[in-house]
Amino acid sequence: MDEMHYEGVIIRPPSEANSVLLQVTVGCSHNKCTFCGTYKGERFRIKDQAIIEADIHYAAKNLSFLRRVFVTDGDALILPQVKLIWLLTRLREEMPWLTRVGLYGNAKSILRKTQEELKELRELGLGIVYLGLESGDAEVLREIKKGVSPERMIEAGTKVRDAGLKLSVTVLLGIAGRDRSLTHARATGAVLTAMDPNYVGVLTLMILPNTELGQKVREGRFDLLTQPELLLELREMLFYTHMTRGIFLSNHASNYLPLKVRMPAGKDQALQAIDAALSGRIPLKPEWLRAL
Ligand code: SF4
């Protein structure tokens, strides 16, 4: 065995760029979101324990310069509790130098765990859960087939926080189309306020041709926002987001205006930066950079 065993597309949050990527499931247990093309055609399954074991062993031997592990794919928290306990215990035994283990967890899989189970995972080394909220607006969540209401999202986010785990929430600019843009922004701000996460990651919707949303765009049934409209949406979202601490980030390659806002102190300055960009006083990332 001379490398990690990866199957299909492996994605990770930008903040996990320097983590060992350990694949324990293939695909996503939900796999219905209309904008997401990552795991299309992939049947969700849990990988063989022997393969995972071999990968942990390989990482311990060859990637010991990395201090963090990110467990993939789309929703690794869906694993049964005994499997997660096994996984975190093995990581601890083989890589005692790890400072954090992270994974994606959707609202359903978070809510399936009891508070005690989440705490148990934290005690075994799980440090952060990444939750894809996308929007705080009920109609948008229905439209994109996220399968969860804003109320359940808030419940899930709060549960992660209450278990002492870090919570990072991803939201999407442009996902509501034009007419609902600002409603989406305000509702998302309200849900983020209720969750009070440690990190917010704002991404800009990228249309993938192999998705339901891609089809809608082709048929002219979904309006893509212009750069100024995306910025206005971002401004509205940030304006309505009241966090007691934490970081509000929109620095992903798909964003036009990279922002790193320390909340709540940096919020006013960030709103001013967006206003400056909107009035043309500071340049936006050129279109060609956005594809990177
Ligand atoms: S839950 Fe996440 S990974 Fe799964 S389909 Fe939706 S966006 Fe894609």
Side-chain angles (χ1 to χ4, degrees), residues 11 27-40 74-75 106 132 134 145-146:
I11 58 162
C28 159
S29 63
H30 180 58
N31 213 8
K32 291 195 183 76
C33 302
T34 60
F35 61 91
C36 173
T38 314
Y39 308 114
K40 285 281 170 292
D75 176 32
N106 69 32
E134 329 308 353
K145 302 191 178 156
K146 195 73 197 172

Side-chain angles (χ1 to χ4, degrees), residues 4-13 16 20-31 36-48 51-52 55 69-79 84 87 101-107 109 126 128-132 146 170:
M4 305 280 281
H5 300 80
Y6 295 124
E7 290 181 49
V9 185
I10 308 289
I11 58 162
R12 51 135 185 93
E16 298 285 344
V20 174
L21 300 177
L22 178 67
Q23 189 183 31
V24 301
T25 67
V26 178
C28 159
S29 63
H30 180 58
N31 213 8
C36 173
T38 314
Y39 308 114
K40 285 281 170 292
E42 200 77 75
R43 267 268 296 281
F44 175 76
R45 64 191 163 80
I46 298 173
K47 286 174 77 172
D48 261 11
I51 299 279
I52 300 172
D55 281 356
V69 166
F70 185 71
V71 182
T72 75
D73 277 348
D75 176 32
L77 196 67
I78 195 78
L79 283 183
L84 285 169
L87 178 71
V101 178
L103 44 65
Y104 285 119
N106 69 32
S109 63
L126 183 66
I128 185 164
V129 175
Y130 293 84
L131 171 66
K146 195 73 197 172
T170 311

